[in-house]
């Protein structure tokens, strides 16, 4: 049984597919989008986030850490990320909730138990479970096993993917995935490389492949002012050639994640741009609609 | 005539705060107060029902009145109520009294109302008849346990009868029955007194309407006068007359201590009049919409205490649930005005349309969180549990905050006691005394335990003692109803009271039930598990160290306090151990209360809501083993301890759903708090609808809540002037956030912050 490395689970989620859903966030992503609002999910390795503002100096972490990653210097708590082995013991005892472990390992069966806790809300709302990330297809074997278990339980499944994956990985999960939530950031490949660090060729090809297979797809476009707001027309033209795009959702960029970058001591590359206003969103929706697409604002 | 609401608004919103009494129309409030007192002293030898009725008549005949020409509904009578400071909610929330009679004085300033009679005789009669119990009750309140009370306040008149017969018709019915029984030679002396008290009261009402009518002639508003003239002689026939009747009756009823804690299921009750008006062309839909603006605005302008409830929807006799075009019209006006008063109680059944449920969800999301939803099916099962079949319970009306009552058939006394059961944990730890004052209350138990089982057993001994104490005290008080608070006005609307010649509170109703509410269950569960872990399982402290820690409010034990607060094994997160313990304690309580015979020929009902008493009694309660500091609120309703619900609303729901809601006829609203971003857009409304439906399909009895984030509350705390209209559902009703005390605001913020949904 393959273990998955996860960031966390979000319950009562209504923006990751239809109805009331539980979303499992998996760790690791091949893209490095400059606007990423889930930095804790980028690296495939485990990480401990430390919010020093929340530390109450109880010292419990020091007593349980065999790697000596926690210490006190001049009465202040110091966390040495390089020594940390990510065992999570300090997180469990931290009395101020200042520490969080991203990257716990979990078996598909354990995941199934957590993901079905809200099962009673799925049927009445047309909801289910969404695998997201990071990029879930980075852990395609785990996803495959988990999706099979979910389908055995009769639960509706969705995969929220950036599409940067091998075809074989898509093949592993496609049969047990009811709907794809598929991110498209740019149609222009140069820009894609500039802002995500990767080519968009496999992304475009995989979407065509999924479409040929006849799976319903909800395309999601993060709308980042001055960065990809010129991409609506080429994206719309491309999507119009596909048959199973049931919805195109525009997700306005919010610059809310800087504290997460700080807690993980990661470089913050968030673009210093404003959240698109309603007019910008309406314009973008209008362009996509002009291609006959069922485009909506993510705010709706 | 029926227009201009928004043009007249400035004359409507403040009409109670700044009244314009016709000084020549009667005695000013101070004179009236003195004269009423003299009048009562002069008639003190009369049987209490007659004294009440005559005092009522004296007031209505002699008080100053006012017709507001900018309004379309007349009701104003100068009883000296200071609306600007006394009828608002803020005082109520700050209230901390040890004597219930003080509450009434303080919260309503009803100096010259007949409520004064209640206050006077409640004290006098209890001190004379049950002096020991009277003192014990004061002690129980002073050390944070709660108060036993004969609840004369939460009542439900029979609105069907009021609208069917009108005021003159109710009077005639009383006269006819009295005459009939008298001619048959069947009239007992106490019945004669009773009928006479009803007759005096309704003559007083009809005469009062005549006074309003004559006053209205000073203004050139024929429809206004026409409506009042009609109601002097006939039952209401139009929507306009129905609304005037409802408002007048509520106002007049509240001259006593009793309050009509629902207007009834108004979309059904008023529907025939609505259809007739539209069908005949008498009024347009827009006219009626405008009438409701005036109507609802009056409740808000009068700052009616704890907000005036009204109900919508409900199951029809054939078992299907309905909403109608009037339901939507009412919700439209309600949404448009954005007030917290009146408050809406929606009777839910699965047949209600998605359109309606999403409309209601939209209003709640917009901040109109005074809407509470009650599940018909759970209520029916609750009534079955006390032997009342669905054929009867189908007509229940939610009253007060969310409590079901059978209109015209049941006096449920929905709030006879709120018991802080965390005190049973405290007494098990101290051996029976209050940890803050050292006062002994009730039984003595050992002060140390070698095993958890010993401590756990002592907890149940104290719990049972507390329940039995309350039952005994309530029974003794309610036996004195006729000496303290007969209600001829209320009884006059009830057919069975009239047939039997007996009062609403004393044998007139088909079902005379009693209701006990227990709260602080989460504090209790978390505390028992904390004792088990700290003292017996992990032996982090001895039993005597625990006693010392609690006596010293955790001083010297701060680290242990933090550890136990941080412990994840807390009720409200869909976790097995704490939820199972909750079920055991809950079943123990319901087993001891539900269906237990009371002193009025009825039975006890059980509920778990606390309204604001969780803060009031928490203030008098010492530190608890779950890490709570002394004086902090204890847990409310069946909620988790504030800040301990770490897995979001769906987990909290599943914890609560493990309990047997069929035992909760006394009610228990689940308080949900959801971040606005989690339910935005159309998908959000659908999700709320699905969440409500799921909760009810799984047996939940009632839901209330807030779609709100902690950030806006913190901002409102800093800049209250900018957030004057921010409503929060706090307990059984809504409040403006800025009106809450600082402690209550913080409690609310803490709960909001902890309702995160990521694990």
């Amino acid at each position: 049984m393959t273990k998955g490395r996860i960031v966390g689970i979000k319950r009562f989620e209504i923006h990751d597919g239809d109805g009331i859903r539980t979303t499992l966030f998996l760790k690791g992503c091949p893209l490095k989008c400059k606007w990423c609002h889930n930095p804790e999910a980028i690296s495939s390795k485990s990480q401990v986030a430390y919010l020093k503002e929340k530390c109450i100096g109880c010292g419990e972490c020091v007593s349980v850490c065999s790697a000596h990653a926690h210490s006190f210097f001049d009465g202040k708590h110091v966390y040495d990320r390089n020594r940390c082995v990510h065992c999570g013991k300090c997180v469990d005892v931290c009395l101020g909730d200042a520490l969080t472990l991203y990257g716990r390992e979990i078996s598909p069966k354990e995941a199934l138990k957590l993901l079905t806790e809200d099962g009673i809300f799925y049927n009445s709302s047309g909801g289910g479970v969404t695998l997201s990330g990071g990029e879930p297809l980075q852990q395609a074997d785990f996803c495959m096993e988990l999706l099979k278990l979910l389908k055995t339980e009769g639960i509706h499944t969705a995969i929220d993917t950036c599409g940067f994956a091998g075809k074989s990985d898509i093949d592993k999960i496609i049969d047990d995935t009811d709907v794809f939530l598929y991110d498209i950031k740019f149609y222009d490949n140069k820009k894609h490389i500039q802002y995500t660090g990767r080519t968009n060729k496999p992304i475009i090809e995989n979407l065509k492949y999924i479409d040929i297979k006849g799976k319903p797809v909800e395309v999601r476009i993060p709308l980042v002012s001055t960065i990809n707001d010129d991409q609506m027309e080429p994206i719309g033209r491309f999507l119009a050639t596909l048959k199973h795009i049931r919805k195109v959702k525009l997700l306005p960029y919010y610059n809310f994640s800087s504290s997460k970058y700080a807690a993980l001591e990661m470089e913050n590359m968030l673009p210093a741009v404003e959240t698109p206003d309603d007019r910008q969103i309406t314009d973008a929706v209008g362009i996509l609609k002009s291609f006959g697409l069922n485009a909506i604002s993510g705010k709706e | 005539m029926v227009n201009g609401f928004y043009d007249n608004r400035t004359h409507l919103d403040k009409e109670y705060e700044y009244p314009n009494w016709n000084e020549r129309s009667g005695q000013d409030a101070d004179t009236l107060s003195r004269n009423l007192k003299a009048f009562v002293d002069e008639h003190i030898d009369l049987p209490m029902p007659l004294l009440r009725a005559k005092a009522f008549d004296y007031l209505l005949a002699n008080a100053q009145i006012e017709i507001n020409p900018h309004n379309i509904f007349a009701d104003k009578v100068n009883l000296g109520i200071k609306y600007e400071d006394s009828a608002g909610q803020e005082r109520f929330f700050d209230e901390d009294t040890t004597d219930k009679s003080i509450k009434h004085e303080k919260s309503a300033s009803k100096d010259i109302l007949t409520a004064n009679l209640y206050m006077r005789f409640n004290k006098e009669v209890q001190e004379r008849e049950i002096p020991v119990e009277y003192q014990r009750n004061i002690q129980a309140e002073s050390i944070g346990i709660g108060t036993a009370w004969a609840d004369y306040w939460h009542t439900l008149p029979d609105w069907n009868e009021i609208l069917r017969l009108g005021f003159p018709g109710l009077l005639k019915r009383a006269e006819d029955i009295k005459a009939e029984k008298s001619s048959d030679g069947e009239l007992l002396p106490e019945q004669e007194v009773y009928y006479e008290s009803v007759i005096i009261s309704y003559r007083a009402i009809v005469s009062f309407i005549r006074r309003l009518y004559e006053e209205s002639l000073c203004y050139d508003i024929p429809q206004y006068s026409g409506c009042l003239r009609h109601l002097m002689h006939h039952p209401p026939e139009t929507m306009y007359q129905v609304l005037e009747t409802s408002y007048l009756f509520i106002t007049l009823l509240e001259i006593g201590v009793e309050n009509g804690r629902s207007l009834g299921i108004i979309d059904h009750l008023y529907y025939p009049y609505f259809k007739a008006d539209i069908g005949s062309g008498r009024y347009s839909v827009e006219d009626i919409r405008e009438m409701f603006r005036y109507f609802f605005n009056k409740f808000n302008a009068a700052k009616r205490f704890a907000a005036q409830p009204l109900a919508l929807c409900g199951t029809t006799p054939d078992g299907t649930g309905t909403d109608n075009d009037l339901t939507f019209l009412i919700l439209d006006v309600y949404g448009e005005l954005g007030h917290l008063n009146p408050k809406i109680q929606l009777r839910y059944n699965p047949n209600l349309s998605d359109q309606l449920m999403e409309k209601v969800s939209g209003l709640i999301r917009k901040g109109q969180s005074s809407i509470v939803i009650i599940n018909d099916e759970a209520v029916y099962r609750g009534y079955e549990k006390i032997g009342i079949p669905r054929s009867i319970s189908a007509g229940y009306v939610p009253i007060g905050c969310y409590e079901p009552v059978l209109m015209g058939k049941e006096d449920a006394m929905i709030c006879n006691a709120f018991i802080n059961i965390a005190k049973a944990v405290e007494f098990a730890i101290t051996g029976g005394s209050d940890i803050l004052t050292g006062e002994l209350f009730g039984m003595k138990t050992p002060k140390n335990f070698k095993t958890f089982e010993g401590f756990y057993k002592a907890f149940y001994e104290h719990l049972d003692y507390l329940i039995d104490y309350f039952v005994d005290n309530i029974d003794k008080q309610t036996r004195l109803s006729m000496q303290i608070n007969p209600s001829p006005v209320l009884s006059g609307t009830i057919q069975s009271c009239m047939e039997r010649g007996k009062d609403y509170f004393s044998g007139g109703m088909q079902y005379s039930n009693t209701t006990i509410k227990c709260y602080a269950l989460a504090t209790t569960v978390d505390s028992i598990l904390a004792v088990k872990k700290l003292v017996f399982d992990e032996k982090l402290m001895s039993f005597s160290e625990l006693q010392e820690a609690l006596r010293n409010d955790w001083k010297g034990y701060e680290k242990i306090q933090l550890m136990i607060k941080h412990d994840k094994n807390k009720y409200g997160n869909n976790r097995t151990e704490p939820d199972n313990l909750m079920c055991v304690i809950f079943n123990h309580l319901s087993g001891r209360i539900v269906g237990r015979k009371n002193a009025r020929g009825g039975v006890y009902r059980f509920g778990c809501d606390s309204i604001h008493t969780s803060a009031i009694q928490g203030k008098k309660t010492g530190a608890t083993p779950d890490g709570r500091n002394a004086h902090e609120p204890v847990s409310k309703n069946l909620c988790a301890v504030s800040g301990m619900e770490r897995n979001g609303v769906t987990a909290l729901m599943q914890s609560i759903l493990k309990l047997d809601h069929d035992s909760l006829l006394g009610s228990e609203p689940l308080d949900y708090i959801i971040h606005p971003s989690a339910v935005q857009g159309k998908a959000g409304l659908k999700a709320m609808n699905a969440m409500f439906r799921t909760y009810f399909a799984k047996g939940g009895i009632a839901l209330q809540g807030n779609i709100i984030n902690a950030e806006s509350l913190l901002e409102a705390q800093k800049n209250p002037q900018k957030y004057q209209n921010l409503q929060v559902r706090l307990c059984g009703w809504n409040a403006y956030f800025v009106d809450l005390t600082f402690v209550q605001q913080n409690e609310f913020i803490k709960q909001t912050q902890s309702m995160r949904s990521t694990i």
Side-chain angles (χ1 to χ4, degrees):
Chain A
M1 191 174 274
T2 319
K3 286 215 167 192
R5 184 168 285 168
I6 67 164
V7 170
I9 288 174
K10 193 156 189 290
R11 296 164 71 164
F12 198 71
E13 179 54 61
I14 62 162
H15 302 298
D16 291 336
D18 290 341
I20 298 173
R21 308 188 77 83
T22 303
T23 302
L24 175 68
F25 294 90
L26 288 134
K27 201 148 171 23
C29 183
L31 306 188
K32 303 284 177 286
C33 304
K34 291 197 189 306
W35 57 82
C36 181
H37 59 279
N38 286 334
E40 70 277 21
I42 297 174
S43 164
S44 57
K45 292 179 184 156
S46 294
Q47 287 165 291
V48 168
Y50 168 52
L51 280 166
K52 61 181 173 198
E53 297 77 14
K54 292 183 87 175
C55 177
I56 57 169
C58 67
E60 291 293 308
C61 49
V62 179
S63 60
V64 296
C65 183
S66 50
H68 307 293
H70 297 281
S71 59
F72 272 76
F73 185 74
D74 265 358
K76 282 187 182 164
H77 173 222
V78 180
Y79 167 55
D80 184 350
R81 196 169 288 284
N82 296 324
R83 285 171 179 265
C84 182
V85 294
H86 312 112
C87 65
K89 283 181 189 164
C90 58
V91 175
D92 293 338
V93 297
C94 174
L95 296 177
D97 286 330
L99 297 164
T100 311
L101 173 64
Y102 295 116
R104 278 187 200 276
E105 294 205 333
I106 190 169
S107 73
K109 272 194 177 166
E110 288 165 332
L112 178 76
K113 188 168 178 296
L114 292 170
L115 295 170
T116 49
E117 275 204 24
D118 281 354
I120 60 167
F121 296 96
Y122 300 160
N123 280 345
S124 63
S125 67
V129 167
T130 300
L131 307 188
S132 180
E135 171 46 56
L137 294 180
Q138 291 270 93
Q139 303 185 53
D141 289 334
F142 170 76
C143 289
M144 177 178 72
E145 288 178 41
L146 176 56
L147 288 167
K148 277 197 192 315
L149 292 175
L150 287 164
K151 289 318 293 178
T152 311
E153 297 285 322
I155 290 170
H156 183 273
T157 56
I159 283 237
D160 179 9
T161 175
C162 71
F164 195 92
K167 247 189 199 80
S168 59
D169 288 336
I170 303 235
D171 284 336
K172 284 177 187 170
I173 53 94
I174 194 160
D175 288 344
D176 292 313
T177 301
D178 293 317
V179 61
F180 281 82
L181 313 177
Y182 203 100
D183 287 10
I184 299 283
K185 281 104 180 175
F186 300 90
Y187 192 71
D188 180 322
N189 194 27
K190 272 189 190 160
K191 278 198 162 189
H192 200 278
I193 294 169
Q194 184 188 347
Y195 285 102
T196 73
R198 297 278 194 161
T199 169
N200 68 0
K201 281 186 183 155
I203 296 171
I204 301 294
E205 290 311 309
N206 282 336
L207 183 53
K208 288 182 191 165
Y209 177 67
I210 290 166
D211 191 61
I212 289 166
K213 289 270 190 174
K215 281 282 172 181
V217 176
E218 175 185 317
V219 169
R220 294 140 73 98
I221 307 174
L223 183 64
V224 193
S225 300
T226 72
I227 291 179
N228 75 342
D229 45 6
D230 62 341
Q231 293 291 301
M232 299 309 123
E233 201 165 324
I235 290 175
R237 188 169 298 118
F238 162 60
L239 294 179
T241 65
L242 305 175
K243 286 184 182 153
H244 300 101
I245 308 297
R246 62 171 202 180
K247 199 189 283 181
V248 182
K249 204 184 221 181
L250 278 154
L251 307 173
Y253 163 74
Y254 290 96
N255 185 2
F256 279 167
S257 309
S258 40
S259 63
K260 285 200 212 170
Y261 280 94
L264 292 157
E265 296 176 60
M266 288 169 68
E267 188 190 355
N268 179 349
M269 295 183 295
L270 292 167
V273 294
E274 296 287 320
T275 298
D277 59 28
D278 287 348
R279 171 105 188 251
Q280 285 172 285
I281 298 169
T282 313
D283 287 350
V285 167
I287 294 170
L288 292 162
K289 277 189 169 168
S290 71
F291 290 96
L293 296 162
N294 173 26
I296 60 163
S297 158
K299 283 175 146 183
E300 269 180 32
Chain B
M1 195 282 295
V2 186
N3 54 35
F5 171 77
Y6 285 106
D7 296 337
N8 283 314
R9 189 91 187 251
T10 47
H11 301 284
L12 302 172
D13 288 349
K14 301 282 182 190
E15 68 168 326
Y16 292 95
E17 281 181 58
Y18 304 106
N20 188 20
W21 306 115
N22 176 353
E23 290 178 2
R24 286 168 302 164
S25 65
Q27 301 170 13
D28 65 71
D30 289 343
T31 310
L32 188 62
S33 178
R34 279 196 305 276
N35 289 346
L36 180 71
K37 193 169 181 312
F39 181 88
V40 169
D41 287 342
E42 196 182 319
H43 295 85
I44 196 76
D45 294 332
L46 282 174
M48 187 56 75
L50 284 180
L51 183 59
R52 271 291 289 262
K54 282 182 184 284
F56 180 72
D57 176 43
Y58 185 87
L59 279 182
L60 290 192
N62 293 294
Q64 290 173 342
I65 56 172
E66 180 202 335
I67 289 287
N68 178 0
H70 300 283
N71 211 319
I72 63 169
F73 298 114
D75 67 304
K76 292 174 74 184
V77 51
N78 185 4
L79 299 174
I81 297 175
K82 296 182 183 66
Y83 286 96
E84 74 277 13
D85 62 6
S86 60
Q89 312 245 338
E90 62 272 27
R91 285 275 192 93
F92 189 64
F93 284 113
D94 232 353
E95 167 199 351
D96 176 14
T97 64
T98 52
D99 184 340
K100 277 285 167 191
S101 62
I102 296 171
K103 168 184 163 182
H104 285 278
E105 267 170 8
K106 197 175 156 190
S107 60
S109 288
K110 290 180 174 179
D111 290 343
I112 61 169
L113 304 192
T114 47
N116 242 0
L117 299 188
Y118 159 76
M119 285 182 242
R120 174 175 166 182
F121 294 113
N122 185 43
K123 189 163 187 289
E124 281 180 18
V125 173
Q126 282 199 66
E127 278 182 330
R128 186 179 66 232
E129 305 285 336
I130 48 170
V132 175
E133 287 77 8
Y134 186 67
Q135 288 307 321
R136 290 270 283 159
N137 207 8
I138 291 173
Q139 188 198 6
E141 173 75 22
S142 71
I143 60 172
I145 304 172
T147 304
W149 182 38
D151 183 359
Y152 302 121
W153 194 69
H154 294 93
T155 66
L156 180 65
D158 191 336
W159 289 106
N160 286 327
E161 294 291 277
I162 295 168
L163 298 188
R164 183 175 73 84
L165 297 171
F167 298 113
L170 291 168
L171 170 60
K172 187 168 182 309
R173 177 168 73 174
E175 289 171 337
D176 289 350
I177 294 180
K178 186 188 169 203
E180 192 185 328
K181 284 196 189 279
S182 186
S183 68
D184 292 348
E186 286 178 1
L187 196 62
L188 301 171
E190 62 269 24
Q191 285 177 318
E192 186 171 5
V193 164
Y194 168 76
Y195 286 122
E196 195 54 32
S197 71
V198 176
I199 291 166
I200 292 169
S201 301
Y202 277 86
R203 279 193 188 138
I205 290 174
V206 174
S207 302
F208 175 69
I209 298 171
R210 180 179 294 280
R211 290 185 68 202
L212 290 175
Y213 161 69
E214 286 167 358
E215 185 73 13
S216 76
L217 294 176
C218 303
Y219 303 94
D220 184 22
I221 26 184
Q223 204 166 338
Y224 210 152
S225 307
C227 175
L228 292 167
R229 189 178 59 234
H230 179 93
L231 296 179
M232 274 156 39
H233 302 291
H234 308 285
E237 288 168 9
T238 68
M239 197 69 194
Y240 179 32
Q241 292 162 359
V242 161
L243 296 179
E244 173 71 73
T245 302
S246 296
Y247 202 86
L248 261 178
F249 187 82
I250 278 284
T251 305
L252 297 175
L253 178 63
E254 293 180 9
I255 288 176
V257 68
E258 324 69 275
N259 276 220
R261 293 306 289 155
S262 178
L263 298 175
I265 303 173
I266 64 170
D267 53 344
H268 287 221
L269 195 63
Y270 301 166
Y271 198 62
Y273 305 93
F274 173 71
K275 289 303 277 183
D277 279 354
I278 303 299
S280 67
R282 187 183 297 119
Y283 296 116
S284 65
V285 171
E286 192 42 49
D287 287 338
I288 290 173
R289 199 183 293 276
E290 188 79 340
M291 284 178 204
F292 271 100
R293 290 187 186 107
Y294 279 99
F295 184 62
F296 285 164
N297 200 66
K298 270 189 106 63
F299 295 99
N300 199 57
K303 297 180 181 174
R304 293 183 84 85
F305 187 61
Q308 174 62 47
L310 61 87
L312 297 177
C313 299
T315 319
T316 54
D318 65 2
T320 59
T322 58
D323 44 74
N324 56 39
D325 30 356
L326 186 55
T327 320
F328 282 87
L329 184 150
I330 288 167
L331 289 170
D332 280 344
V333 174
Y334 193 71
E336 177 189 309
L337 292 176
H339 290 152
L340 53 70
N341 205 343
K343 58 183 178 185
I344 290 182
Q345 297 163 334
L346 182 79
R347 272 186 57 172
Y348 170 84
N349 71 77
N351 296 319
L352 286 186
S353 64
D354 284 331
Q355 193 194 355
L356 180 87
M357 290 301 289
E358 285 177 22
K359 185 168 186 68
V360 168
S361 302
L363 288 172
I364 295 171
R365 189 176 66 180
K366 209 174 89 182
Q368 289 192 289
S369 44
S370 63
I371 301 174
V372 62
I373 312 176
I374 296 120
N375 181 14
D376 281 355
E377 181 59 28
V379 171
Y380 297 154
R381 288 204 296 261
Y383 273 114
E384 280 169 350
K385 220 164 187 165
I386 58 168
I388 298 175
R390 285 168 190 244
S391 54
I392 293 175
S393 61
Y396 87 89
V397 176
I399 75 162
C401 298
Y402 18 65
E403 294 90 340
V405 168
L406 307 173
M407 187 165 79
K409 295 185 172 67
E410 183 188 25
D411 168 29
M413 288 204 173
I414 60 170
C415 294
N416 286 97
F418 291 92
I419 310 177
N420 169 13
I421 69 155
K423 293 300 280 193
V425 179
E426 181 179 311
F427 292 163
I429 291 168
T430 60
S433 56
D434 177 59
I435 214 158
L436 293 176
T437 63
E439 282 179 43
L440 186 73
F441 190 94
M443 63 197 306
K444 278 187 183 174
T445 47
K447 290 189 178 172
N448 208 335
F449 298 97
K450 288 200 175 114
T451 63
F452 170 73
E453 289 68 29
F455 160 76
Y456 190 55
K457 186 166 165 279
F459 159 72
Y460 284 105
E461 284 169 2
H462 283 288
L463 193 60
D464 290 348
Y465 181 88
L466 287 179
I467 301 298
D468 293 351
Y469 154 75
F470 275 96
V471 166
D472 178 64
N473 204 310
I474 292 164
D475 281 349
K476 284 180 175 150
Q477 286 193 53
T478 51
R479 283 196 189 102
L480 303 171
S481 294
M482 284 307 278
Q483 296 178 56
I484 295 173
N485 192 67
S487 180
V489 177
L490 186 57
S491 307
T493 70
I494 310 284
Q495 199 163 354
S496 61
C497 289
M498 298 312 296
E499 284 165 2
R500 297 176 188 183
K502 287 190 171 181
D503 190 75
Y504 184 92
F505 298 115
S506 195
M509 304 300 282
Q510 194 174 340
Y511 306 104
S512 294
N513 295 331
T514 320
T515 308
I516 284 182
K517 311 205 172 188
C518 299
Y519 66 96
L521 272 78
T523 302
T524 299
V525 167
D526 291 357
S527 290
I528 290 174
L529 290 177
V531 173
K532 184 167 181 287
K533 178 178 177 139
L534 293 174
V535 179
F536 298 103
D537 289 354
E538 297 188 9
K539 298 185 178 19
L540 296 170
M541 63 201 314
S542 69
F543 200 82
S544 54
E545 282 171 332
L546 173 69
Q547 288 167 332
E548 185 184 274
L550 299 182
R551 264 198 306 274
N552 295 334
D553 198 12
W554 292 103
K555 276 190 194 70
Y557 294 88
E558 287 84 357
K559 196 153 184 179
I560 291 187
Q561 181 189 17
L562 264 176
M563 279 171 64
I564 203 66
K565 273 183 135 168
H566 191 257
D567 188 77
K568 291 195 168 63
N569 206 25
K570 298 286 199 295
Y571 164 77
N573 296 291
N574 199 18
R575 294 177 77 99
T576 307
E577 190 186 14
D579 290 1
N580 284 353
L581 179 58
M582 175 62 100
C583 288
V584 173
I585 295 174
F586 178 94
N587 290 340
H588 185 89
L589 288 167
S590 67
R592 210 161 176 91
I593 295 171
V594 177
R596 186 166 172 161
K597 297 249 181 303
N598 67 16
R600 308 196 300 151
V603 295
Y604 274 84
R605 313 186 338 167
F606 170 56
C608 283
D609 67 300
S610 53
I611 55 166
H612 60 312
T613 54
S614 51
I616 291 174
Q617 306 300 2
K619 213 168 170 181
K620 302 173 215 160
T621 301
T624 41
D626 61 338
R628 174 188 151 279
N629 280 110
H631 314 298
E632 283 184 355
V634 291
S635 63
K636 63 178 178 176
N637 302 350
L638 282 173
C639 290
V641 169
S642 284
M644 295 302 145
E645 59 280 75
R646 296 182 166 114
N647 288 343
V649 65
T650 49
L652 176 63
M653 280 186 165
Q654 292 185 75
S655 282
I656 295 185
L657 283 170
K658 288 172 189 166
L659 304 168
D660 171 25
H661 287 231
D662 301 357
S663 299
L664 279 169
L665 193 55
S667 207
E668 144 56 27
L670 179 144
D671 291 75
Y672 56 85
I673 291 182
I674 302 175
H675 195 280
S677 66
V679 287
Q680 72 185 29
K682 286 177 196 153
L685 294 184
K686 284 189 166 42
M688 285 173 73
N689 180 14
M691 180 183 84
F692 297 156
R693 287 185 187 277
T694 306
Y695 186 72
F696 292 139
K698 297 289 174 187
I701 191 163
L703 281 165
Q704 63 177 19
N706 295 281
I707 310 297
I708 205 149
N709 60 38
E711 297 79 47
S712 12
L713 297 181
L714 286 165
E715 178 63 20
Q717 203 174 37
K718 275 189 217 149
N719 299 302
Q721 69 287 357
K722 286 192 201 161
Y723 291 86
Q724 291 296 319
N725 295 325
L726 177 64
Q727 296 181 30
V728 288
R729 181 89 189 179
L730 192 77
C731 37
W733 59 90
N734 262 35
Y736 290 116
F737 184 75
V738 296
D739 282 346
L740 305 183
T741 63
F742 192 64
V743 171
Q744 286 162 337
Q745 287 184 349
N746 285 344
E747 188 68 8
F748 203 84
I749 290 168
K750 195 157 74 175
Q751 198 186 357
T752 309
Q753 282 170 330
S754 74
M755 285 298 275
R756 59 195 174 198
S757 54
T758 305
I759 58 171

